[in-house]
Amino acid sequence: MDLKFRKITLEDREPIQRIYMEYPSMSCTRSFANTYLWARYYKVTAAEAGGTYIFRSENEEEMGAKTSFAMPAGSRESVRQAVASIMEYCRAHEVPLQIYSVTEQDFALLEELFPGTFSISYSENDADYVYESEKLITLAGKKYHGKRNYINRFHLEHPDWTYESITHDNVEDCFQMALKWRNENGCNDDPEKCAEMCVALNSLRLMDELSLRGGLIRTEGKVVAFSIGEGLNEDTFDVHIEKAFADVPGAYPIINQQFVLHETEGFKYINREEDVGSEGLRIAKRSYHPVIMVNKGVVVLKEDA
């Protein structure tokens, strides 16, 4: 059958989230919010097949191929049917098959369903950093000494600081902070930074519709940092957005700590997503000592490898 791709809408959230919760993963790509918010940048559309959803991207620059597909989620039979449909689509449209965001667990399933058919290449840039929530809150031990120092300095320099959950009453303050951050960080001259800021602003705008949680840090009445995320499954929370002013020492460490403390109760693990190849992000994420790296790769047919 020919897959019928269409624009992803907010009405798709409930059925897609139901699949993600029934067949959980630690990967940040198993989030409707992430898929929906980045759909415009990555040119993502959706089709239904095999009782699940197939997401197609047509962003040649980012994915390395003009047409590529996200790893389907669902039961073994749903995944088998969806991948078979992707293979049929690629043959019919004469495009090379490429499936992205394939975890090690996903690839093991593909090997069971289609023995010897695919090969995979993992990218360090795409691996998710996962931490124990308790360690991000307590920052106990020598390896977190530097983080505690930054937070202590923040406390000393900003004795009036407060943490607030993001609500209808203060979300506009986050908008204004994000717009200032955008201007200070040259987002208009960098397409990827610009896209990231659009995602941040839309996350604030659609917090209720996407069931997101947010928190902010305020000093002298002004927002200096905020963070937004959601639960991926019963034990893992995903932090989608984190913004802070670089000229406020300790703003990033304190929003990291306070957001996990106040908004992620009941979740054992915190996924802080990829470093996307940024050396600065890689250093920052490693400095919090992840306990799990969720490796993700790109799958192609062995005959095309």
Side-chain angles (χ1 to χ4, degrees):
M1 70 171 185
D2 194 27
L3 296 172
K4 304 296 184 182
F5 287 95
R6 59 174 175 76
K7 182 180 178 181
I8 302 167
T9 70
L10 288 171
E11 286 68 36
D12 292 314
R13 181 185 179 277
E14 184 177 347
I16 291 173
Q17 281 295 103
R18 191 184 309 121
I19 294 170
Y20 287 167
M21 294 304 290
E22 187 173 355
Y23 302 95
S25 169
M26 275 190 169
S27 171
C28 71
T29 56
R30 292 289 177 85
S31 155
F32 174 79
N34 261 345
T35 301
Y36 180 80
L37 291 166
W38 284 98
R40 181 175 180 181
Y41 181 72
Y42 289 112
K43 299 178 182 177
V44 178
T45 50
E48 297 176 50
T52 189
Y53 287 75
I54 296 172
F55 299 110
R56 180 187 65 181
S57 171
E58 296 184 285
N59 189 313
E60 182 174 2
E61 179 180 350
E62 290 295 326
M63 297 300 179
K66 181 171 176 55
T67 302
S68 53
F69 303 86
M71 177 67 196
S75 67
R76 289 174 61 90
E77 181 57 23
S78 292
V79 171
R80 187 195 68 76
Q81 290 186 40
V83 172
S85 295
I86 291 172
M87 296 170 71
E88 181 182 340
Y89 178 94
C90 291
R91 284 194 296 267
H93 292 265
E94 298 183 340
V95 296
L97 181 145
Q98 180 171 282
I99 303 174
Y100 60 90
S101 295
V102 181
T103 66
E104 292 170 295
Q105 182 180 3
D106 292 332
F107 189 65
L109 176 58
L110 288 176
E111 280 289 273
E112 292 177 17
L113 297 173
F114 303 92
T117 302
F118 302 111
S119 64
I120 188 169
S121 57
Y122 293 101
S123 170
E124 185 180 20
N125 297 348
D126 296 331
D128 290 351
Y129 292 74
V130 178
Y131 310 83
E132 291 182 359
S133 57
E134 182 180 359
K135 291 180 179 178
L136 293 184
I137 294 169
T138 64
L139 299 174
K142 290 183 179 180
K143 61 185 179 181
Y144 292 109
H145 178 72
K147 303 298 181 187
R148 295 197 303 273
N149 281 346
Y150 271 117
I151 289 175
N152 289 336
R153 177 181 174 183
F154 184 88
H155 287 169
L156 288 172
E157 294 182 354
H158 307 281
D160 68 329
W161 76 273
T162 58
Y163 176 88
E164 303 169 23
S165 295
I166 297 178
T167 67
H168 292 289
D169 295 330
N170 57 23
V171 69
E172 180 60 29
D173 294 339
C174 293
F175 270 110
Q176 295 306 315
M177 181 268 178
L179 293 173
K180 184 177 180 182
W181 192 97
R182 181 180 66 181
N183 293 336
E184 291 180 355
N185 287 271
C187 293
N188 291 335
D189 300 321
D190 185 323
E192 191 166 339
K193 278 187 177 181
C194 185
E196 182 186 359
M197 186 49 59
C198 286
V199 167
L201 293 171
N202 283 329
S203 296
L204 290 167
R205 183 172 63 86
L206 297 171
M207 285 188 65
D208 288 344
E209 290 85 347
L210 296 173
S211 295
L212 301 174
R213 303 183 193 179
L216 64 85
I217 298 292
R218 195 187 297 272
T219 67
E220 298 178 357
K222 297 180 180 179
V223 176
V224 296
F226 72 88
S227 192
I228 299 172
E230 66 171 330
L232 282 180
N233 53 58
E234 290 185 354
D235 67 4
T236 306
F237 189 95
D238 186 12
V239 178
H240 297 317
I241 305 292
E242 184 180 85
K243 294 298 175 199
F245 288 133
D247 60 355
V248 181
Y252 272 110
I254 198 166
I255 186 59
N256 185 331
Q257 180 199 49
Q258 293 295 310
F259 182 70
V260 175
L261 173 63
H262 291 281
E263 309 299 338
T264 71
E265 183 178 359
F267 293 94
K268 182 178 180 179
Y269 298 108
I270 307 298
N271 184 328
R272 291 182 55 78
E273 302 192 353
E274 316 99 326
D275 61 41
V276 295
S278 164
E279 186 63 24
L281 273 178
R282 183 164 295 172
I283 291 170
K285 290 178 184 289
R286 287 180 177 177
S287 72
Y288 277 98
H289 309 286
V291 294
I292 298 170
M293 296 296 295
V294 181
N295 294 313
K296 291 175 289 184
V298 173
V299 158
V300 298
L301 291 171
K302 279 191 174 179
E303 62 195 54
D304 294 334

